[in-house]
């Protein structure tokens, strides 16, 4: 599935299904999606597979802005960034380039810190994937509730949202919007779900 044309077709399908925006990975895919889809694009750039790898540096962030991302999603956890920069420096650079920033966090403290550093949106994306955050099979609605209760910055619920009912509960918990990933974009995982259940 990880071919630009295929990914753009998936975003077109999401648009036809009623998506208000799309979140896509990599400058090439961001540029192709912006050209084809006509929805706001949240761009991220996964580089690596451990530590801070979701838009890990200012260089990655600015490449996404140049590709046309309206919003740049970046890891805003307390972990060190590979180039020694700070999340605040990334936010400043993205704002100067004319785009907004979605902070991917794993805990209430990280969410408050990201908002204080100028993030335009705070997402619960990394809850359960970073040491110190709760590991669970369901969305971290407690984190949504906590952040929505203390932040003026819009909170985006993301992570393990598998059903429309869970998405609705996230909105009821105070989320501004919801990102749904695997539940609508991963045919391999969806097929495995059925195969395992019927084995």
């Amino acid at each position: 599935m990880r071919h630009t044309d295929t990914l753009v077709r998936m975003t077109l399908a999401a648009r036809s299904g009623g998506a208000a925006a799309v979140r896509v990975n990599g400058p090439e895919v961001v540029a192709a999606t912006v050209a084809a889809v006509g929805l706001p694009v949240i761009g991220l750039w996964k580089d690596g597979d451990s530590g801070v790898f979701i838009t890990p540096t200012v260089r990655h962030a600015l490449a996404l802005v140049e590709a046309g991302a309206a919003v740049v999603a970046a890891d805003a956890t307390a972990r060190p960034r590979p180039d020694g920069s700070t999340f605040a420096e990334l936010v400043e650079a993205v704002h100067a380039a004319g785009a907004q920033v979605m902070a991917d966090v794993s805990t209430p403290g990280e969410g408050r810190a990201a908002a204080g550093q100028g993030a335009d949106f705070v997402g619960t994306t990394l809850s359960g994937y970073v040491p110190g955050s709760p590991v669970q099979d369901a969305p971290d609605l407690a984190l949504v509730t906590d952040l929505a209760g203390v932040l003026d910055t819009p909170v985006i619920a993301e992570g393990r949202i598998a059903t429309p009912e869970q998405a609705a509960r996230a909105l009821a918990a105070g989320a501004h919007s919801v990102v749904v990933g695997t539940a609508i974009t991963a045919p391999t995982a969806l097929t495995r779900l059925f195969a395992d259940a019927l084995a």
Side-chain angles (χ1 to χ4, degrees), residues 137-188:
D137 294 329
D140 190 348
L141 297 182
L143 180 56
V144 173
T145 300
D146 184 301
L147 293 173
V150 298
L151 298 182
D152 293 328
T153 305
V155 174
I156 299 179
E158 181 176 7
R160 299 176 305 279
I161 296 173
T163 67
E165 292 76 19
Q166 288 176 332
R169 286 200 292 275
L171 293 178
H176 169 273
S177 52
V178 176
V179 172
V180 181
T182 301
I184 59 173
T185 65
T188 302

Side-chain angles (χ1 to χ4, degrees), residues 11 36 54 62 73 90 96 101 106 130 144 152:
T11 62
I54 297 177
L62 293 179
L90 183 146
V101 176
S106 67
V130 175
V144 173
D152 293 328

Side-chain angles (χ1 to χ4, degrees), residues 57-59 61-62 65 72 74 81 85-102 114-120:
T57 70
V58 171
R59 174 182 66 82
L62 293 179
V65 177
V72 172
R81 309 185 81 77
S85 65
T86 66
F87 178 71
E89 289 169 338
L90 183 146
V91 171
E92 182 179 5
V94 170
H95 284 170
Q100 296 182 309
V101 176
M102 175 178 171
Q117 293 172 79
D120 302 284

Side-chain angles (χ1 to χ4, degrees), residues 6-7 10 13 16 19 22 32 40 42 49 58 91 105 108 128 130-131 133 146 150 179:
T6 301
L7 293 168
M10 291 177 70
S16 294
V22 291
I42 303 170
D49 57 10
V58 171
V91 171
V105 305
V130 175
S133 62
D146 184 301
V150 298
V179 172

